[in-house]
Amino acid sequence: MKTTTIIISLTALLCAESCKEETELQVSKPPLPHTNINSTEFDSEAVYRFQTDKNQMLNSMIRYDYTKKKYVLDISEQDALDIGITTDMYKEALKRVEKMNKINKEHL
C-alpha cells in the first residue's frame, strides 16, 4: 500500500513537472521594410529613418476606397508639400495609384 502511494505520488509529480514550459522562444525582430539598416545603427536611429522616409509616408497614404472600389492617395498635394514631400514625389505616387487601379480593374 505504501509503495503504491509513493509510485502514484511520484507519477503525479513527474506529470505536473513535465507540463511546465521551461523553454523560451527567442524571436528576433524583423527589420523594418524599405530601410537599409547597418548593424552598427541603433534601433532609435532606424525608427527615425523609417518615420522620416518621404516615399514611405506617401505609400502609407495610399488607401483602398471601398465605396468607389479603387485606390486613392489620401493626401492633398498642398499637405504633402507642407510635410516636405516634393511635387515630383507626389506625382510619382499618383502614377503608382493609377497603375494599381489599372491592375485592379483588369482583375475585376
Side-chain angles (χ1 to χ4, degrees):
M1 178 76 170
K2 193 174 188 180
T3 310
T4 307
T5 306
I6 292 173
I7 292 175
I8 291 173
S9 297
L10 285 175
T11 304
L13 181 65
L14 288 174
C15 288
E17 286 295 317
S18 67
C19 291
K20 290 183 182 178
E21 187 172 332
E22 295 178 6
T23 59
E24 292 182 22
L25 295 176
Q26 294 182 356
V27 179
S28 62
K29 294 179 184 177
L32 297 172
H34 305 294
T35 57
N36 295 327
I37 301 173
N38 296 330
S39 59
T40 58
E41 278 186 315
F42 296 107
D43 287 337
S44 59
E45 290 177 22
V47 170
Y48 173 77
R49 285 159 142 282
F50 179 75
Q51 290 175 340
T52 57
D53 183 0
K54 305 298 186 204
N55 281 322
Q56 182 62 34
M57 287 181 199
L58 279 172
N59 285 336
S60 69
M61 296 305 294
I62 297 174
R63 306 202 191 287
Y64 187 76
D65 187 343
Y66 288 97
T67 57
K68 297 178 183 177
K69 298 190 188 251
K70 68 177 190 175
Y71 291 95
V72 294
L73 184 57
D74 199 14
I75 187 171
S76 69
E77 186 172 1
Q78 185 57 49
D79 287 342
L81 291 171
D82 290 344
I83 62 172
I85 295 171
T86 64
T87 303
D88 291 335
M89 291 172 72
Y90 185 81
K91 288 179 182 177
E92 285 296 319
L94 285 176
K95 287 179 185 176
R96 282 194 302 269
V97 169
E98 288 174 15
K99 286 180 184 178
M100 291 169 69
N101 284 325
K102 183 180 178 183
I103 291 170
N104 189 38
K105 195 177 207 180
E106 291 172 357
H107 289 294
L108 291 178

